[in-house]
Amino acid sequence: MHISEPEIPAMSATATNRVCFQLQVKPERIDEYRQRHAAVWPEMLQALKATDWNNYSLFLRADGLLIGYFETVDLASAQAGMAATAVNARWQAEMGEFFVALDGAPDTGFLQLTEVFHLEDQLIDLATATERSTS
């Protein structure tokens, strides 16, 4: 069986930061939290996209552990952009009550996780090292 070489992704002109975060949803609020996120307000969705919250996903464990992920050029700018919108103030006011031990609004009070591995970055590094060694 022949396995072809993987394609190495091209580097983008603008660096994208991958942001992963953790929050804890109160166990008694998990079902409602899921319902609220099944149909997020259209203006909230549009505001997120307009302020550079891209490829945004939330993952919820049965015990309420919430892991979020999004990509942005600059986290502080993305958060400031959302803070400047009226829809975000309304959304954060409603969502804040769902979380345990929240320090601030959900979109700024989360625990940011440190990335320790990213496949595409390592493939780019490998391709660069290979090019240098064959030049």
Side-chain angles (χ1 to χ4, degrees):
M1 176 168 83
H2 176 72
I3 299 175
S4 61
E5 291 294 315
E7 274 190 47
I8 307 299
M11 294 181 71
S12 66
T14 305
T16 297
N17 296 301
R18 293 174 296 275
V19 178
C20 185
F21 63 88
Q22 173 185 325
L23 289 163
Q24 183 67 43
V25 177
K26 294 175 182 174
E28 68 275 12
R29 304 296 301 269
I30 291 172
D31 289 340
E32 185 182 357
Y33 186 84
R34 286 179 188 275
Q35 291 170 357
R36 295 278 190 103
H37 284 81
V40 173
W41 306 333
E43 63 258 358
M44 184 64 176
L45 299 173
Q46 293 162 348
L48 286 163
K49 192 64 174 173
T51 58
D52 198 34
W53 293 62
N54 300 299
N55 201 24
Y56 189 7
S57 296
L58 295 173
F59 302 87
L60 184 62
R61 202 165 66 180
D63 66 357
L65 177 67
L66 180 76
I67 300 296
Y69 172 87
F70 66 99
E71 297 166 353
T72 187
V73 172
D74 180 66
L75 175 58
S77 294
Q79 288 174 316
M82 282 305 291
T85 67
V87 68
N88 190 58
R90 291 192 321 271
W91 182 264
Q92 298 307 320
E94 288 195 19
M95 290 297 110
E97 65 190 42
F98 284 86
F99 299 102
V100 174
L102 184 61
D103 184 21
D107 65 340
T108 58
F110 55 69
L111 171 63
Q112 188 173 349
L113 304 177
T114 302
E115 182 176 44
V116 296
F117 171 79
H118 185 244
L119 175 63
E120 281 69 24
D121 285 349
Q122 289 199 20
L123 288 172
I124 290 168
D125 291 346
L126 178 62
T128 302
T130 302
E131 281 181 21
R132 286 187 187 141
S133 69
T134 59
S135 297

